[in-house]
């Protein structure tokens, strides 16, 4: 047992039931309650930079937080496949938290990218759970090495923004285990996060935070989580049930709204006092762990330099006909307003007030000096993405008058944010029109993309090169200049597939689902698991990314060791420049009695090599690398037989193969998947092991009805209008002057907030009893037929 846990237990032993219950909810938006001997601490966002609001309490001014380094978003960090780098970034984040007296950083986010249109994919690492879990673990280790906690989020199956507070994710147990839980499992086992954050959504009919199976049996007893579980902000539904489930801390506090209910539950015996004690101990344990000596101010310059290095390491060179690295000569036209007004982070709770922001254009000019002439045309409106005829004409003229063109495009901030999903995977029309105009005027064009998630690129064969720079953080502009000029290499490999068309995504037909339910009918066929199994090539496959040098693979060998294999392969830099390669090891079950994706990533390593240098890379495969989740046995089982080890430079660029034999006595129960990659009703019911649940109807209203749902009733409309007015006033939205993305996020929060969330939004002023009364009145005054929409 930790010393801090023992100390917390001693403190809790001396507290009254009332005082223990008080500890189970936050003091305000960002701090915990204190007890004698254990102070209150601050927990705050997260994930790729510290967002410590300057005014806590009654304002949601996302833009007004203490200056902090805005590191590349998880989309870029995940593409680095570099655990050492992520640890380093984590250390820097931890130092900044410590300097600001923040005890726990709310992140990293490690939900899976089920569909690239998910509004928060920029905050998540990958479509693959193995990669996501290891990247998250590295970041956690780094932050926590500084005596600051992390909160891996959002546990679990929170893979979209649409109705995230009330949606019920219907998912079969095998997929849930093999994809959506695995990342959390890896991060918990590898890095022992201090805390975990439960998501808003339900899974198979149960709120995650009220599921004892999810919060205790799986998380603590199986994965070995030994920290504190907190709610996402406002993800409190039935607090006594959540305490029993193992969800220790309600955030933010709701002004004691739930204390009576918890006390009543203890009195009536539906909740044991021991459960309350356990949660109270975990709250104080976390507070005591966070008591580390003052470390002085953070070194923002050093962190800016690290952010620049990390952005280059996470940028992915998608195509290159040899134009890159650019020759620093002649006339280079820079086109695209993002060159001056960069997109470098996403919107929502992760919004960082950067210490400074490097735009690409001035740094590119500086780097070239007198060696080349740089011209510039904005080409489109940075805010809307729209391009006028004049802007297109000007861009065309700049392009044809130049030797080479650097064209920056991507997604304007209003298109991707926490709170809502993208409606299309295409770039805005203005950007596509600009790409067409510029590449026609001058094919020697390098397209650089700044966006938080995969896009479709029907224009991809037009430019001479495409660099995916993602949302690269505050130093991203300098990193792009470094990569284009060859000062740094494009170190990234895609952590997500870029489909040819949106319909190619197997999840697309069930994304983002209906009003109350989303069905994961694609099962295991997410990302490359779909593309490779279905023979539907991605435009840019998972793991893909070009280098400025080239690599050779040789001598793959696999030696049995322990319950798995130790795999070695020699990688040689066969080119003329130093560079790094991401060695990827996939496993394919040669013959399987149950459905399995064509191959799955089971190990990777990033190696840096000088020209001509070789290195023997060792990769470890444990038994789990060959296993499937057997629903009948409720365990990871391995089917005896041959497995093919595929080592390569991407999920489709396999350089070395080897068959190994795996011994096993396990007998697998039958497990059928979606034959055509999207389950029919019958197939989905078979995967679930029961009939597909009927989606919750809109009527009668319940505490889970959203404010948007209420507006089908005239009385509801009046109530919602009043609530909106009050919320706008309370959160000072008029003065906060949110940008487009934030405005969109607040609009969707107000539309999608469940009735029970009113308590949180009103700081406990609208009690649960009033919320229940409201629901009753609305049901009495709303004819049932209006629920059909
Ligand atoms: C987000 C979390 C975030 C929290 C606090 C929630 O709406 O989902 O990721 O940590 O707010 O800002």
């Amino acid at each position: 047992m930790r010393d801090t846990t023992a100390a917390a237990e001693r403190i809790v032993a001396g507290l009254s039931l009332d005082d223990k219950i008080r500890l189970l909810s936050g003091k305000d938006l960002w701090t915990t309650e204190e007890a004698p001997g254990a102070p209150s601490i601050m927990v705050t966002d997260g994930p790729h930079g510290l967002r410590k609001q300057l005014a806590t309490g009654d304002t949601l001014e996302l833009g007004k937080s203490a200056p902090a380094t805005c590191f590349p978003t998880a989309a870029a960090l995940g593409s680095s496949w570099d655990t050492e780098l992520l640890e380093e970034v984590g250390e820097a984040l931890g130092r900044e938290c410590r300097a600001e007296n923040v005890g726990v950083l709310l992140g990293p986010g490690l939900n899976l990218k089920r569909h690239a249109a998910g509004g928060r994919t920029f905050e998540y690492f990958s479509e693959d759970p193995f990669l996501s879990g290891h990247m998250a673990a590295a970041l956690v280790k780094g932050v926590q090495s500084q005596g600051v906690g992390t909160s891996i989020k959002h546990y679990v199956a929170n893979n979209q923004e649409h109705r995230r507070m009330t949606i019920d994710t219907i998912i079969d147990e095998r997929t849930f285990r093999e994809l959506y839980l695995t990342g959390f499992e890896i991060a918990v086992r590898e890095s022992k996060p201090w805390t975990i954050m439960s998501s808003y959504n339900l899974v198979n009919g149960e709120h995650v935070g009220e599921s004892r199976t999810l919060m205790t049996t799986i998380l603590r007893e199986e994965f070995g989580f030994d920290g504190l579980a907190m709610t996402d902000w406002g993800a409190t539904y039935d607090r006594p049930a959540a305490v029993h489930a193992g969800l220790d801390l309600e955030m933010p506090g709701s002004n004691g709204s739930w204390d009576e209910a918890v006390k009543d539950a203890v009195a009536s015996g539906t909740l044991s006092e021991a459960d309350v004690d356990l949660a109270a101990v975990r709250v104080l344990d976390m507070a005591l762990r966070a008591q580390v000596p003052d470390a002085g101010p953070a070194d923002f310059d050093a962190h800016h330099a690290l952010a620049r290095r990390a952005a280059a390491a996470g940028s992915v060179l998608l195509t290159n006909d040899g134009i890159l690295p650019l020759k620093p000569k002649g006339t280079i036209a820079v086109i695209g307003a993002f060159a001056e007004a960069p997109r470098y982070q996403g919107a929502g709770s992760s919004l960082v007030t950067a210490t400074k922001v490097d735009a690409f254009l001035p740094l590119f000019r500086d780097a070239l000096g007198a060696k080349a002439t740089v011209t510039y045309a904005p080409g489109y409106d940075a805010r809307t993405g729209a391009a006028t005829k004049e802007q297109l004409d000007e861009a065309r003229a700049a392009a044809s008058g130049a030797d080479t063109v650097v064209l920056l495009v991507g997604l304007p901030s209003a298109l991707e944010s926490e709170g809502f999903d993208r409606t299309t995977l295409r770039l805005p029309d203005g950007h596509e029109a600009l790409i067409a105009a510029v590449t026609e005027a001058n094919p020697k064009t390098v397209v650089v993309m700044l966006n938080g998630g995969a896009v479709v690129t029907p224009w991809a064969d037009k430019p001479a090169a495409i660099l995916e720079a993602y949302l690269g953080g505050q130093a991203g502009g300098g990193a792009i200049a470094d990569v284009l000029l060859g000062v740094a290499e494009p170190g990234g490999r895609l952590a997500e597939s870029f489909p040819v068309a949106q319909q190619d995504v197997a999840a697309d037909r069930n994304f983002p689902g209906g009003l109350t339910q989303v069905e994961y009918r694609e099962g295991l066929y997410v990302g490359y698991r779909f593309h490779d199994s279905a023979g539907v090539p991605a435009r840019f496959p998972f793991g893909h990314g070009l280098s400025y040098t080239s690599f050779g693979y040789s001598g793959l060998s696999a030696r049995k060791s322990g319950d798995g294999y130790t795999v070695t392969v020699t990688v040689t830099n066969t080119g003329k420049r130093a560079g790094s390669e991401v060695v990827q090891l996939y496993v394919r079950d040669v013959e399987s009695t149950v459905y399995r994706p064509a191959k799955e990533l089971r190990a990777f390593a990033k190696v840096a090599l000088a020209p001509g240098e070789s290195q023997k890379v060792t990769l470890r495969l444990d038994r789990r690398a060959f296993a499937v989740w057997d629903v009948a046995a409720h365990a990871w089982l391995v089917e005896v037989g041959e497995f093919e080890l595929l080592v390569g430079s991407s999920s489709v660029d396999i350089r070395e193969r080897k068959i190994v034999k795996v011994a096993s006595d396990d007998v697998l129960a039958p497990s059928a998947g979606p034959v055509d990659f999207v389950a029919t009703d019958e197939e989905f019911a078979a995967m679930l092991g029961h009939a597909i649940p009927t989606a919750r109807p809109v009527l009668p209203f319940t505490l889970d009805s959203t404010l948007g749902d209420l507006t089908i009733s005239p009385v509801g409309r009046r109530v919602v209008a009043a609530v909106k007015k009050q919320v706008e006033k309370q959160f000072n939205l008029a003065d906060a002057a949110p940008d487009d993305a934030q405005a969109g996020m607040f609009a969707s929060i107000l539309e999608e907030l469940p009735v029970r969330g009113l308590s949180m939004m009103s700081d406990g002023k609208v009690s649960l009893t009033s919320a229940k009364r409201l629901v009753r009145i609305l049901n009495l005054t709303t004819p049932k037929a209006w629920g059909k929409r």
Side-chain angles (χ1 to χ4, degrees):
M1 186 193 288
R2 282 189 292 271
D3 291 350
T4 48
T5 318
E9 279 182 358
R10 282 194 297 275
I11 299 172
V12 168
L15 297 180
S16 67
L17 180 61
D18 285 344
D19 282 341
K20 288 187 284 198
I21 291 175
R22 190 177 44 83
L23 292 174
L24 309 193
S25 299
K27 191 193 240 173
D28 53 36
L29 260 173
W30 308 112
T31 63
T32 58
E33 291 279 3
E34 60 266 295
S40 157
I41 63 158
M42 174 172 269
V43 302
T44 194
D45 293 307
H48 55 265
L50 176 64
R51 182 173 70 89
K52 182 182 175 187
Q53 267 182 215
L54 292 176
T56 53
D58 65 351
T59 172
L60 269 189
E61 293 173 89
L62 292 179
K64 293 193 182 152
S65 50
T69 307
C70 179
F71 286 97
T73 57
L77 290 176
S79 308
S80 75
W81 298 59
D82 187 338
T83 50
E84 273 173 36
L85 175 71
L86 264 81
E87 231 177 293
E88 233 181 298
V89 170
E91 282 162 19
L93 286 167
R95 278 196 292 273
E96 295 198 12
C97 288
R98 227 168 123 176
E100 284 287 344
N101 212 7
V102 167
V104 172
L105 183 72
L106 302 176
L110 66 95
N111 293 106
L112 220 63
K113 301 186 200 222
R114 172 177 178 246
H115 193 303
R120 283 181 102 166
T121 52
F122 69 87
E123 272 189 79
Y124 302 140
F125 294 112
S126 175
E127 69 187 22
D128 181 84
F130 186 83
L131 182 57
S132 298
H134 285 284
M135 299 316 274
L139 203 85
V140 167
K141 280 186 204 161
V143 175
Q144 295 191 170
S145 71
Q146 302 305 304
V148 172
T150 53
S151 193
I152 54 174
K153 65 188 188 184
H154 311 86
Y155 180 77
V156 56
N158 175 192
N159 310 98
Q160 64 184 47
E161 295 305 287
H162 168 76
R163 300 213 154 210
R164 64 175 166 151
M165 298 192 184
T166 47
I167 198 93
D168 188 1
T169 303
I170 307 298
I171 181 169
D172 68 280
E173 184 179 324
R174 187 169 160 211
T175 304
F176 192 37
R177 286 286 185 159
E178 293 189 17
L179 293 188
Y180 297 95
L181 280 167
T182 294
F184 286 96
E185 178 180 4
I186 293 171
V188 165
R189 290 191 197 280
E190 290 262 308
S191 61
K192 301 242 161 280
W194 288 17
T195 84
I196 192 167
M197 186 190 287
S198 71
S199 55
Y200 295 109
N201 54 287
L202 299 88
V203 172
N204 294 329
E206 202 176 10
H207 283 288
V208 170
E210 284 160 25
S211 162
R212 198 167 160 88
T213 308
L214 287 175
M215 300 308 301
T216 296
T217 316
I218 293 179
L219 182 62
R220 295 181 189 278
E221 293 165 9
E222 282 185 41
F223 298 173
F225 178 66
D226 69 352
L228 168 132
M230 68 176 88
T231 63
D232 196 345
W233 265 231
T236 295
Y237 303 94
D238 178 339
R239 188 68 191 123
V243 176
H244 172 68
L247 181 49
D248 310 301
L249 177 64
E250 174 198 19
M251 285 306 291
S254 53
N255 226 347
S257 295
W258 282 105
D259 292 5
E260 253 345 274
V262 174
K263 203 172 169 185
D264 290 350
V266 173
S268 70
T270 50
L271 177 67
S272 75
E273 188 163 350
D275 282 339
V276 172
D277 289 359
L278 205 55
V281 166
R282 291 187 190 130
V283 172
L284 298 187
D285 185 12
M286 169 179 75
L288 294 174
R289 289 174 97 177
Q291 302 312 306
V292 285
D294 188 357
D299 184 345
F300 286 139
D301 288 338
H303 292 180
H304 187 77
L306 171 60
R308 182 163 174 163
R309 184 152 57 82
S315 63
V316 186
L317 186 55
L318 297 177
T319 63
N320 184 17
D321 73 354
I323 191 171
L324 291 179
L326 284 177
K327 299 198 179 44
K329 60 175 195 197
T331 299
I332 305 178
V334 172
I335 299 174
F338 286 167
E340 277 187 314
R343 279 221 61 223
Y344 59 99
Q345 64 175 331
S349 59
S350 67
L351 196 81
V352 175
T353 301
T355 58
K356 60 175 168 180
V357 179
D358 285 349
F360 167 73
L361 186 58
L363 289 180
F364 188 59
R365 278 203 167 113
D366 279 359
L368 286 166
K371 285 185 238 153
T373 306
V374 176
T375 59
Y376 170 66
Y380 52 82
D381 180 321
R383 199 182 128 213
T384 62
T388 61
K389 185 175 174 311
E390 291 68 42
Q391 284 169 322
L392 291 173
D393 288 345
E394 188 195 11
R396 218 177 266 119
S400 49
D403 298 299
T404 44
V405 181
V406 175
L407 170 57
L408 289 91
V409 294
L411 295 172
S413 74
L415 295 186
E416 51 181 353
S417 166
E418 175 179 341
F420 56 88
D421 300 309
R422 270 190 282 161
T423 51
T424 166
L425 293 188
R426 294 187 77 133
L427 294 179
D429 291 348
H431 289 216
E432 287 198 354
L434 185 64
I435 294 169
V438 168
T439 52
E440 195 189 55
N442 191 340
K444 291 172 90 179
T445 293
V446 178
V447 168
V448 179
M449 293 203 285
L450 294 97
N451 48 302
V455 291
V456 291
T457 53
W459 42 265
D461 57 349
K462 298 278 187 277
I466 307 173
L467 178 71
E468 174 53 86
Y470 281 115
L471 300 178
Q474 65 178 53
I480 295 169
D482 292 343
V483 170
L484 294 185
L485 295 171
V487 176
E489 61 164 342
R493 304 291 184 268
L494 289 181
E496 60 183 331
S497 311
F498 279 43
V500 171
Q502 183 164 341
Q503 307 84 272
D504 286 356
V505 178
D508 196 52
R509 265 162 278 173
N510 292 286
F511 180 92
L515 290 177
T516 54
Q517 185 163 302
V518 54
E519 296 166 1
Y520 286 19
R521 290 189 182 225
E522 69 286 352
L524 296 170
Y525 295 126
V526 171
Y528 72 91
R529 286 172 168 78
F530 164 72
H531 291 290
D532 295 353
S533 308
V536 175
R539 181 63 188 81
F540 299 112
F542 178 80
H544 168 75
L546 302 172
S547 168
Y548 288 158
T549 183
S550 50
F551 299 96
Y553 286 67
S554 61
L556 174 63
S557 85
R559 183 170 46 80
K560 263 201 192 120
S561 71
D563 60 357
Y565 277 90
T566 297
V567 180
T568 53
V569 66
T570 299
V571 183
T572 306
N573 181 344
T574 52
K576 294 200 173 64
R577 300 172 64 100
S580 58
E581 172 71 329
V582 175
V583 181
Q584 303 161 37
L585 168 53
Y586 298 84
V587 172
R588 178 175 84 88
D589 193 349
V590 174
E591 209 179 307
S592 171
T593 60
V594 298
Y595 104 96
R596 295 193 83 160
K599 60 174 166 312
E600 295 181 275
L601 180 76
R602 297 302 196 208
F604 65 88
K606 191 164 190 177
V607 282
L609 297 169
E613 188 187 348
S614 290
Q615 197 177 310
K616 198 171 183 183
V617 178
T618 302
L619 300 158
R620 168 89 201 132
L621 292 177
D622 55 16
R623 191 167 172 81
R624 174 78 173 265
F626 304 97
V628 295
W629 179 259
D630 188 276
V631 174
H634 221 67
W636 294 101
L637 298 186
V638 174
E639 200 164 39
V640 65
E642 291 184 340
F643 289 82
E644 189 173 24
L645 310 184
L646 307 154
V647 176
S649 194
S650 86
S651 56
V652 302
D653 182 7
I654 301 300
R655 306 291 185 82
E656 292 273 288
R657 300 163 178 267
K658 187 172 195 66
I659 303 268
V660 295
K661 285 204 171 69
V662 176
S664 176
D665 295 331
D666 297 346
V667 179
L668 269 59
S671 165
V675 173
D676 272 330
F677 307 101
V678 182
T680 59
D681 287 354
E682 209 175 305
E683 287 169 344
F684 196 44
M687 287 161 71
L688 293 171
H690 53 73
I692 304 167
T694 314
R696 289 193 319 271
V698 175
L699 284 178
F701 296 122
T702 68
L703 288 175
D704 273 343
S705 299
T706 64
L707 297 190
D709 292 338
L710 302 192
T711 60
I712 60 172
S713 122
V715 184
R717 272 201 292 282
R718 282 209 296 281
V719 173
V720 171
V723 168
K724 285 189 175 165
K725 217 159 157 194
Q726 175 57 30
V727 168
E728 273 157 20
K729 198 168 127 213
Q730 186 186 332
F731 290 107
N732 199 12
L733 291 186
D735 290 354
D739 64 19
D740 297 342
Q742 282 176 41
M745 180 174 100
F746 283 122
S748 84
I749 288 181
L750 284 175
E751 174 75 19
E752 298 191 353
L753 187 75
V755 177
R756 58 174 92 239
L758 288 174
S759 162
M760 187 243 333
M761 288 301 246
S762 65
D763 201 16
K765 284 184 208 93
V766 178
S767 68
L768 200 66
T769 317
S770 340
K772 280 183 186 155
R773 200 173 307 134
L774 172 66
V775 166
R776 234 184 358 257
I777 295 171
L778 289 177
N779 278 331
L780 285 174
T781 54
T782 311
K784 281 225 171 59
W786 293 2
K788 298 201 172 39
R789 51 169 176 151

